[in-house]
Amino acid sequence: MDRNGIRSTAKKIIYVGLMAAVLEVSKTALAWLMNIELVTFWILIFALVFGRLILFALPVFIAIEAALYPMGTWFFMYLYIWPLIAIVGLILRKKESRLSYTIASGLFGFGFGALGTFVNIPLMGVPASISWWIAGIPTDITHGISNIVFMFVLFNPIRKILKRNI
Amino acid sequence: MNKKVKITIAVICVVLLVAALATVYVMFGEKTVQGEKDITITVIDSKKNSTLYELSTDALYLRQAMEEAKGLEFSGDESEYGMMVTTVNGEFAEYNANGAYWGFNVNGSYCNNGIDTQPVNDGDAFEIVYTPAE
């Protein structure tokens, strides 16, 4: 590998570390507000700006979470929900439309509990899993609305800042 | 289609989605029950010792029932979503401090709600279990 190749690889590793750090810090900063989070926003924005590199940052982020918090079903939800959000972010990348990203962000918030239900089915069975989802609907609504607000307000300024400096 | 129309359609879709979710919650969500209910609360501490509390209560939610259970003492941190219980009968459990937590079950299943929003129904058997993190 020549010098440019090494530099480029080093840069990518730094980006991955920075993305994981931003995800963890923003998650922790808003942890006191249940289901109001900036992780979805950052994953979608990172997918837009850094492309597939986000898929390398997510395992780092999930590993940090697993080290910090007691193991539970949340861990298995994280294993597929965050990557799914990243993949949607990558698909929407071509258009770079604030509205598309805002809708995606909102849908993930509204559907977070429903997506998480899949993990509970083997443990709790279908009826209890559905009860679990229904009990969480008020927080899913808060989650969806806050995701919409975050993405709608922050999409343009953050995208511009990141693109200017990367 | 211009931008304003697109945003308007998106807003309408969001409102409809929220309304649909709210309808499901109101129609199928767990409901509180007025009147007297006979329930049990069992505390299982770190040494697997069980303490049973039997009570008749008008409480709508578990927290009030726990407060009414004679001899049961508990405390915790208040949050936007109610109390996060950290101490039960003098035994402290908080994951970040000692790698354990107090788990709540109702009729053999995990509680889907916090103690401030967990409805109490006649015949419910609650368990408060000292749970070391795996």
Side-chain angles (χ1 to χ4, degrees):
Chain A
M1 194 185 291
D2 63 11
R3 190 173 281 183
N4 282 340
I6 292 170
R7 195 174 292 166
S8 165
T9 305
K11 219 174 178 181
K12 285 177 184 169
I13 292 170
I14 291 168
Y15 287 154
V16 167
L18 282 173
M19 282 190 272
V22 169
L23 291 172
E24 186 54 45
V25 168
S26 54
K27 164 87 171 29
T28 306
L30 293 183
W32 59 285
L33 291 169
M34 198 178 164
N35 276 6
I36 293 181
E37 46 86 9
L38 276 164
V39 176
T40 304
F41 166 78
W42 282 119
I43 290 174
L44 288 168
I45 287 289
F46 287 153
L48 170 67
V49 176
F50 295 100
R52 278 180 284 183
L53 272 187
I54 182 62
L55 297 174
F56 294 92
L58 289 178
V60 180
F61 167 62
I62 295 167
I64 295 170
E65 287 282 294
L68 290 176
Y69 299 102
M71 188 55 73
T73 50
W74 64 267
F75 175 76
F76 300 100
M77 292 176 196
Y78 278 19
L79 287 178
Y80 63 90
I81 292 179
W82 299 134
L84 186 62
I85 294 174
I87 289 165
V88 169
L90 291 171
I91 292 168
L92 296 175
R93 218 176 158 209
K94 282 182 189 167
K95 281 193 173 179
E96 263 193 55
S97 146
R98 176 169 72 162
L99 188 60
S100 302
Y101 276 84
T102 303
I103 290 169
S105 183
L107 286 178
F108 273 110
F110 291 125
F112 204 87
L115 286 170
T117 304
F118 295 112
V119 165
N120 288 327
I121 288 173
L123 294 170
M124 301 161 69
V126 173
S129 299
I130 292 173
S131 298
W132 177 86
W133 167 62
I134 292 171
I137 283 178
T139 49
D140 282 341
I141 291 174
T142 316
H143 194 179
I145 291 171
S146 61
N147 274 9
I148 286 171
V149 172
F150 282 139
M151 187 58 80
F152 195 76
V153 172
L154 296 174
F155 180 86
N156 282 332
I158 298 291
R159 182 193 54 163
K160 277 180 194 162
I161 290 168
L162 286 175
K163 288 214 161 180
R164 198 186 307 143
N165 293 290
I166 301 294
Chain B
M1 203 185 294
N2 72 33
K3 207 174 172 182
K4 273 187 183 174
V5 175
K6 282 182 185 174
I7 290 176
T8 307
I9 291 171
V11 169
I12 290 169
C13 289
V14 167
V15 170
L16 289 175
L17 184 57
V18 170
L21 286 170
T23 305
V24 170
Y25 182 73
V26 170
M27 288 183 72
F28 302 107
E30 290 183 77
K31 291 171 184 68
T32 55
V33 179
Q34 298 287 343
E36 192 172 82
K37 288 145 280 193
D38 294 321
I39 65 164
T40 61
I41 301 173
T42 306
V43 175
I44 302 173
D45 66 18
S46 59
K47 291 171 186 160
K48 310 281 182 204
N49 295 322
S50 295
T51 311
L52 177 69
Y53 302 88
E54 293 176 299
L55 63 151
S56 296
T57 178
D58 289 333
L60 297 177
Y61 299 105
L62 178 57
R63 181 171 180 169
Q64 193 192 334
M66 287 169 67
E67 286 166 351
E68 290 175 11
K70 282 180 187 163
L72 173 60
E73 291 176 7
F74 66 98
S75 60
D77 302 322
E78 295 293 344
S79 75
E80 192 190 356
Y81 297 92
M83 179 185 279
M84 310 298 286
V85 176
T86 55
T87 305
V88 177
N89 291 342
E91 184 158 31
F92 179 75
E94 200 211 346
Y95 180 75
N96 289 328
N98 62 0
Y101 60 92
W102 287 105
F104 285 76
N105 301 327
V106 56
N107 304 325
S109 302
Y110 297 115
C111 286
N112 290 325
N113 304 278
I115 64 169
D116 288 73
T117 50
Q118 175 62 47
V120 173
N121 292 303
D122 190 33
D124 274 350
F126 292 98
E127 280 182 340
I128 307 172
V129 186
Y130 183 96
T131 312
E134 288 163 13

